[in-house]
Amino acid sequence: MPLGSQSVLVVEDDTGKVLLEKNSTVQVPIASLTKLMTAMVVLDSRADLEAPISIDKTDVDTLKHSTSRVPVGAELSRRDVLQLALMSSDNRAAASLARTFPGGPEAFKAAVNAKIRALGMSQTVIEEPTGLSPNNRSTATDLVRMASAASAYPEIRRITTDTKDIINIKGRKVEYHNTNRLVGAKGWDVGLSKTGYTEEAGRCLIMRFKSAGKNATLVLLNAKANSARMMDALNIRRFVAGPDGEPKVMKVAAKTSRKAAKSSKHHRRAA
């Protein structure tokens, strides 16, 4: 089965059996997949989810100049900020979660590093909460661990599988949508989802889903286009179901050479 993503790992949740693997131990930038870690440590901190957070000018992305529909000065509950960071992958929302973390940004960073160690993610480095930095790097193998951990949080499962939400922004009701079009799509039973995109990371996806009664986790890293990421996910779902409903184990031939990602001053939004 040809797969467009540079790194792929598909694991059967109930048994831990690897169903599909391609470059799963290659460390690459992970873009907004980072936000699952941000959400976990915020929830671990037991910070008040109803407490108001005011979006600050320091939350604005000056690295990639990505857009946000959350204006500086907007005041939202921490719960709504978490919703925007996970479901809509809003970078200002994620930045504000780290800035308002109990003990401040340094305590946030320490909590992230402690969580990485606790989960045994030995090939993972996370320097900031949004994933905009290419220094946030991991492997598909480590990210399956992160997905498994994140799925233990009811709040993260709920938010990442919401198709849309209406949030009050400065007295105006604004509709936000999930960055993963497969959430809520016909034929998909998704239990956890997070997309990612930066120029360095390409198109990324973490998803837990059910197919033909089987629960599986997939990690796709560095697909060159959104269409390639979607096609990989569709092919994987069919593969997991199998023609006779039995999952099969498959090894994908991995290319050893990899083109270095081009750097550019013009970056689209990290999704």
Side-chain angles (χ1 to χ4, degrees):
M1 175 172 51
L3 292 167
S5 302
Q6 179 204 323
S7 297
V8 178
L9 188 59
V10 184
V11 174
E12 196 174 43
D13 293 339
D14 302 330
T15 63
K17 184 161 76 169
V18 172
L19 301 179
L20 200 57
E21 186 274 337
K22 172 186 175 183
N23 293 329
S24 64
T25 58
V26 177
Q27 193 190 51
V28 292
I30 59 171
S32 289
L33 302 185
T34 298
K35 293 183 175 94
L36 284 175
M37 180 63 74
T38 298
M40 282 195 286
V41 297
V42 167
L43 291 168
D44 287 349
S45 76
R46 310 242 180 234
D48 183 2
L49 294 182
E50 305 313 320
I53 290 178
S54 183
I55 302 299
D56 189 82
K57 64 179 187 295
T58 59
D59 300 326
V60 174
D61 166 28
T62 55
L63 185 65
K64 301 286 171 89
H65 306 288
S66 57
T67 58
S68 171
R69 293 166 65 214
V70 187
V72 170
E75 192 174 275
L76 303 87
S77 68
R78 184 176 273 108
R79 188 183 303 278
D80 281 350
V81 172
L82 197 61
Q83 180 92 18
L84 291 177
L86 283 177
M87 185 189 74
S88 304
S89 209
D90 190 274
N91 294 314
R92 288 180 193 176
S96 73
L97 288 171
R99 177 177 53 80
T100 61
F101 190 83
E106 288 307 310
F108 170 82
K109 204 165 184 177
V112 166
N113 288 332
K115 190 77 171 176
I116 287 170
R117 285 194 302 274
L119 295 177
M121 297 170 65
S122 59
Q123 298 303 307
T124 300
V125 177
I126 293 178
E127 292 189 354
E128 51 80 41
T130 66
L132 288 164
S133 169
N135 295 334
N136 286 14
R137 297 169 70 84
S138 188
T139 65
T141 300
D142 272 9
L143 293 174
V144 163
R145 291 172 188 256
M146 186 171 79
S148 178
S151 71
Y153 296 75
E155 199 78 15
I156 295 177
R157 290 200 308 271
R158 179 190 63 75
I159 292 172
T160 65
T161 55
D162 278 349
T163 55
K164 63 182 180 181
D165 197 14
I166 293 170
I167 291 177
N168 195 308
I169 305 281
K170 288 191 165 183
R172 201 164 57 89
K173 288 184 175 173
V174 183
E175 188 170 283
Y176 292 86
H177 292 262
N178 199 307
T179 54
N180 182 4
R181 288 185 326 212
L182 297 178
V183 171
K186 189 180 176 185
W188 282 94
D189 182 357
V190 179
L192 179 87
S193 165
K194 187 72 201 78
T195 62
Y197 171 74
T198 60
E199 188 160 336
E200 296 92 341
R203 302 281 170 179
C204 305
L205 178 65
I206 282 178
M207 196 160 62
R208 291 195 126 199
F209 66 100
K210 185 180 272 191
S211 181
K214 300 172 195 70
N215 296 300
T217 298
L218 69 78
V219 174
L220 305 175
L221 301 175
N222 198 11
K224 293 306 174 195
N226 197 36
S227 55
R229 177 173 65 182
M230 293 297 108
M231 190 54 68
D232 282 356
L234 286 163
N235 286 335
I236 287 166
R237 188 188 71 179
R238 283 192 209 104
F239 170 75
V240 169
D244 53 359
E246 283 300 314
K248 298 182 292 297
V249 181
M250 180 174 174
K251 183 96 174 169
V252 178
K255 288 181 182 173
T256 49
S257 63
R258 183 164 68 89
K259 248 182 171 176
K262 291 178 186 173
S263 61
S264 163
K265 287 183 182 175
H266 302 290
H267 298 271
R268 279 174 286 170
R269 174 184 171 157

